[in-house]
DNA sequence: GTTGAGCGTT
């Protein structure tokens, strides 16, 4: 048997990947699944009939249609394909529904005494309702408080109440507001990739994958090295990715912010951001001006 | 070791 690899793709139009065959010319389903997680078989287009044909599968072993696999590109089968898609749509709409009715978001707490700790904050705000995250911003070197922090409640009603009044915390009046820096609003493209901001250094790719799996199939996790406090997560389904954009999610007790991943080649974004007063929206305006003149 | 309007190490 001369064929050492067969060509397999997710879709007829996708770029195929070479999958190793066994000595006897068969291909193990596990070899396919190693590259295409969840795969349960293969099919191919019969050159004569132009119809799709299934590849024979016996006890986890895929058998060549003829004496060998030929030069065809094989396409991966997934179990209950429709069901899987439905689940992802459900996950996406569940997130959307959550947004539709009063989604909570992090609140910035301004004016905190230098001495106030996260525990103090939690104790204080718990008198209003269940708290799911508190954070005090500190100097990276000294560990001193910067005098502000963030809090997140379970219930939207609690959030409304907390915003509506001033707070006496450890002897100082403090204000709670919706933060400005949700600053990545405009991003028209529908990507399967999300930007995960405010990651902490202890978050591993595996943990991120485990976490985001609840929303849909994760196809990639990328964490830049050295540590840059953000990550990219790619889903199989763009609907899942899009539904998450704008969310504040809590991973390992840390509030991360989800936004659209901007295309890699857009260094203009970087440029605009490093400019005084620069922002993503400035960059977006620049794009539009390019397209519309 | 100090301080008191702000915006979370994209």
């Amino acid at each position: 048997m001369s064929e050492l690899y067969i060509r397999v793709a997710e879709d007829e139009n996708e770029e195929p990947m070479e999958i190793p065959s066994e000595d006897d010319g068969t291909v193990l389903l596990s070899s396919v699944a190693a590259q295409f997680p969840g795969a349960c078989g293969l099919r191919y287009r019969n050159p004569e009939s132009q119809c799709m044909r299934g590849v024979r599968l016996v006890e986890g072993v895929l058998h060549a249609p003829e004496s060998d696999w030929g030069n065809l590109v094989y396409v991966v089968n997934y179990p209950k394909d429709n069901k899987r898609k439905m689940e992802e749509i459900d996950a996406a709409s569940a997130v959307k529904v959550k947004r539709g009715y009063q989604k909570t978001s992090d609140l910035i707490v301004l004016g905190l005494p230098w001495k106030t700790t996260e525990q103090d904050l939690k104790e204080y705000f718990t008198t209003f309702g269940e708290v799911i995250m508190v954070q005090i911003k500190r100097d990276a070197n000294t560990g001193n408080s910067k005098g502000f922090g963030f809090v997140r409640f379970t219930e939207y009603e609690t959030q409304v109440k907390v915003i509506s009044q001033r707070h006496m915390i450890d002897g100082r009046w403090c204000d709670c507001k919706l933060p400005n820096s949700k600053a990545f609003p405009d991003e028209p493209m529908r990507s399967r990739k999300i930007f995960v901001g405010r990651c902490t250094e202890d978050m591993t790719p595996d943990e991120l994958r485990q976490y985001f799996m609840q929303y849909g199939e994760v196809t990639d996790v990328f964490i830049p090295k050295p540590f840059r406090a953000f990550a990219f997560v790619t889903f199989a389904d763009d609907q899942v990715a899009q539904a998450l954009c704008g969310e504040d999610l809590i991973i390992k007790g840390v509030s991360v912010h989800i936004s659209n991943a901007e295309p890699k080649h857009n260094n203009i974004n970087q440029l605009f951001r490093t400019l005084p007063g620069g922002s993503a929206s400035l960059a977006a305006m620049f794009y539009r001006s390019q397209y519309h003149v």
Side-chain angles (χ1 to χ4, degrees), chain A residues 218-256:
Chain A
V218 173
T219 59
D220 188 53
V221 174
F222 179 78
I223 300 182
K225 283 190 275 286
F227 176 64
R228 296 226 276 151
F230 63 89
F232 293 102
V233 174
T234 309
F235 289 96
D237 188 335
D238 69 306
Q239 286 198 67
V240 176
Q242 292 305 311
L244 289 172
C245 286
E247 298 283 330
D248 286 320
L249 304 174
I250 293 176
I251 305 178
K252 300 176 80 176
V254 174
S255 170
V256 299

Side-chain angles (χ1 to χ4, degrees), chain A residues 4 29 49 62 74 85 139 168 201 213 216 224 228 241 244 251 266 284:
Chain A
L4 292 176
L29 180 58
S49 69
L62 292 153
Y74 294 83
K85 286 238 165 58
D139 183 281
M168 177 59 73
E201 200 159 9
M213 265 173 43
R228 296 226 276 151
L244 289 172
I251 305 178
N266 281 349

Side-chain angles (χ1 to χ4, degrees), chain A residues 183-189 195 228 230 232 259-288 290-291:
Chain A
F184 292 85
D186 31 42
E187 182 57 72
M189 62 161 294
F195 179 93
R228 296 226 276 151
F230 63 89
F232 293 102
S259 57
N260 277 294
E262 296 173 14
K264 212 186 285 182
H265 61 271
N266 281 349
N267 292 329
I268 299 169
N269 278 300
Q270 301 290 335
L271 172 70
F272 271 93
R273 264 184 219 141
T274 54
L275 250 39
S279 69
S281 39
L282 263 182
M285 284 173 65
F286 179 71
Y287 286 127
R288 285 190 204 106
Q290 281 187 309
Y291 283 110

Side-chain angles (χ1 to χ4, degrees), chain A residues 192-211:
Chain A
R192 289 159 47 233
K193 191 192 287 186
I194 57 173
F195 179 93
V196 185
R198 305 200 300 261
C199 288
T200 49
E201 200 159 9
D202 63 319
M203 292 178 186
T204 67
D206 205 49
E207 283 169 334
L208 291 185
R209 181 180 288 271
Q210 290 295 322
Y211 176 84

